[in-house]
Amino acid sequence: MNMVHLQTTIMEMIKEQSVSHLAIRMEHNDEILYEQFVSPDGQLDSHTLFDIASVTKMVVTTSLALIALDKGLIHLEDPVSRYFDCPPDKEAWTIRHLLTHTIGYGHKSLCEGDPADVAGKILHIPCDIPVGSDVLYSCPGFILLGKLLEKVYGAPLNVLFKEKVATPLGMNDSVFLPKGGAIVNSNQDEADRGKVNDYNCRYLGGVAGNAGLFSHMDDMSRFVKMLRENGHPLFSEKMFLEAVRNYTPGMSESRGLGFTLVDECYKQTGGLFPVGAIGHCGHTGQSVFLDRATGFSVIVLSDMTASVTRKFGFDKYGVVMHGRERLHAAIKEDMKANRFFA
């Protein structure tokens, strides 16, 4: 397949120093339509581990929550106070609010106090807006959801992921706290290889509901295959269809249960995916999106955030977001030229 627009965009981004390691795979159902692996030393391949950052939310925490919901271990409208001591202003919080980023506040640093009491810290942060009134993307909400699931299942999140998600899907290399193997990370110094970029997750020991998973292209394809197959073999089709409907109509973002839903305002996919497509992005420069109607998916794994930080001397995430949009828009032009959408 001729991907001239994508090739041009990748070369421009490398020249601009906004990326140095990049893996892209386009699939239609189980067929790989196109893939490319770019790195300075030419050693990057489909088994190179990336810090997938907030894609962890979808792969780990959302999956475990949907399994628990499907089995009746938890329920969407369960109050969080059933699992934790909540102050009065958090008594309205439910599992649905955690999954849809509608708890009433977004990004917060949790890097003070006892990491073992992170749930208590999250529950005592004042809300910025009324609970359930709008979407504010919230890492603390997913960290708390991870802690809730550990209580429900009676095991640590990394153990639960391996047992209930990774092993059934054959994601045998995806792991928290990686010990070896080829790793593309925020810092290529040997001492930092395998350490998670997200500072809240790092403060909590590298395992959290918001970030911390390292994965590679082949394993991410296995996860997307599960989404294509409506949750099989992790949870029922009924549960999957419940999870991918819009729970935040009229709000600033469209959210399913743990999934980003592409809508008319969503820019990260560059117009490549239609309204209703599902997926998630990660702060380190990752994204995974699937059009369920056609079976078309694109996985982007990269070191965009690390490259941009090296270039500017600080984390300039807007450049990363724009880079992700550019890559998807270029793919869209190439797919049109190849008449894939005809």
Side-chain angles (χ1 to χ4, degrees):
M1 185 177 291
N2 186 1
M3 301 295 291
V4 62
H5 292 90
L6 179 60
Q7 290 297 322
T8 300
T9 300
I10 291 172
M11 288 189 290
E12 289 173 350
M13 292 175 65
I14 291 171
K15 185 176 181 180
E16 295 163 3
Q17 299 179 345
S18 58
V19 72
S20 59
H21 295 76
L22 177 66
I24 295 179
R25 178 175 287 176
M26 300 158 41
E27 293 181 303
H28 179 233
N29 295 323
D30 292 331
E31 178 189 0
I32 297 175
L33 299 174
Y34 179 87
E35 64 180 3
Q36 185 172 359
F37 301 93
V38 178
S39 63
D41 59 9
Q43 297 301 304
L44 194 155
D45 61 25
S46 65
H47 284 82
T48 303
L49 289 174
F50 287 79
D51 174 354
I52 67 168
S54 283
V55 179
T56 302
K57 292 181 174 73
M58 177 175 68
V59 175
V60 178
T61 318
T62 293
S63 293
L64 291 171
L66 296 181
I67 292 168
L69 286 164
D70 199 36
K71 293 182 179 297
L73 301 177
I74 59 174
H75 301 87
L76 268 187
E77 301 307 323
D78 281 350
V80 173
S81 60
R82 180 173 296 178
Y83 306 93
F84 300 99
D85 292 330
C86 291
D89 65 325
K90 306 300 188 306
E91 289 179 353
W93 280 12
T94 65
I95 289 174
R96 174 173 53 83
H97 292 127
L98 298 178
L99 279 164
T100 57
H101 296 275
T102 54
I103 64 171
Y105 71 80
H107 173 75
K108 306 288 180 182
S109 173
L110 306 174
C111 299
E112 292 181 2
D114 183 1
D117 189 35
V118 68
K121 182 174 183 62
I122 292 168
L123 287 161
H124 283 83
I125 294 173
C127 289
D128 297 319
I129 61 174
V131 176
S133 62
D134 203 356
V135 175
L136 291 178
Y137 184 78
S138 183
C139 283
F142 261 74
I143 291 171
L144 184 63
L145 180 58
K147 291 298 180 183
L148 187 154
L149 291 167
E150 288 182 335
K151 280 195 168 192
V152 169
Y153 285 113
L157 205 64
N158 54 331
V159 173
L160 293 171
F161 167 68
K162 181 175 177 57
E163 174 189 337
K164 299 183 180 298
V165 181
T167 297
L169 297 184
M171 298 176 68
N172 298 322
D173 297 325
S174 297
V175 66
F176 290 90
L177 305 171
K179 300 299 182 183
I183 298 170
V184 174
N185 200 18
S186 59
N187 188 329
Q188 285 301 292
D189 291 342
E190 195 62 33
D192 267 1
R193 288 170 64 83
K195 290 185 179 179
V196 62
N197 172 265
D198 182 86
Y199 56 80
N200 279 330
C201 182
R202 187 181 287 211
Y203 186 75
L204 297 174
V207 179
N210 71 314
L213 190 71
F214 287 72
S215 189
H216 57 54
M217 184 60 76
D218 282 352
D219 274 3
M220 291 309 303
S221 284
R222 294 180 180 104
F223 184 81
V224 173
K225 178 179 175 64
M226 179 274 292
L227 298 180
R228 254 191 222 106
E229 296 180 352
N230 295 336
H232 177 78
L234 300 187
F235 39 82
S236 69
E237 181 176 1
K238 180 181 178 182
M239 184 72 256
F240 177 77
L241 295 177
E242 280 293 304
V244 297
R245 70 180 181 87
N246 188 5
Y247 284 78
T248 58
M251 298 187 190
S252 57
E253 298 178 24
S254 297
R255 290 279 169 178
L257 299 179
F259 295 102
T260 297
L261 304 183
V262 175
D263 59 22
E264 295 86 348
C265 299
Y266 192 74
K267 294 184 177 181
Q268 291 289 282
T269 53
L272 174 62
F273 286 91
V275 170
I278 63 172
H280 214 287
C281 293
H283 189 88
T284 46
Q286 327 309 353
S287 65
V288 180
F289 282 92
L290 166 69
D291 176 9
R292 295 172 44 242
T294 63
F296 175 71
S297 64
V298 175
I299 302 168
V300 176
L301 302 177
S302 78
D303 67 347
M304 274 193 275
T305 293
S307 295
V308 168
T309 301
R310 284 193 295 268
K311 177 180 179 179
F312 292 101
F314 58 94
D315 186 338
K316 199 169 183 179
Y317 190 55
V319 176
V320 177
M321 294 171 70
H322 183 54
R324 191 185 286 128
E325 181 180 355
R326 289 167 65 189
L327 289 170
H328 284 103
I331 292 171
K332 179 182 179 181
E333 291 304 309
D334 286 327
M335 298 301 278
K336 285 167 59 178
N338 286 284
R339 299 184 180 277
F340 180 81
F341 296 122

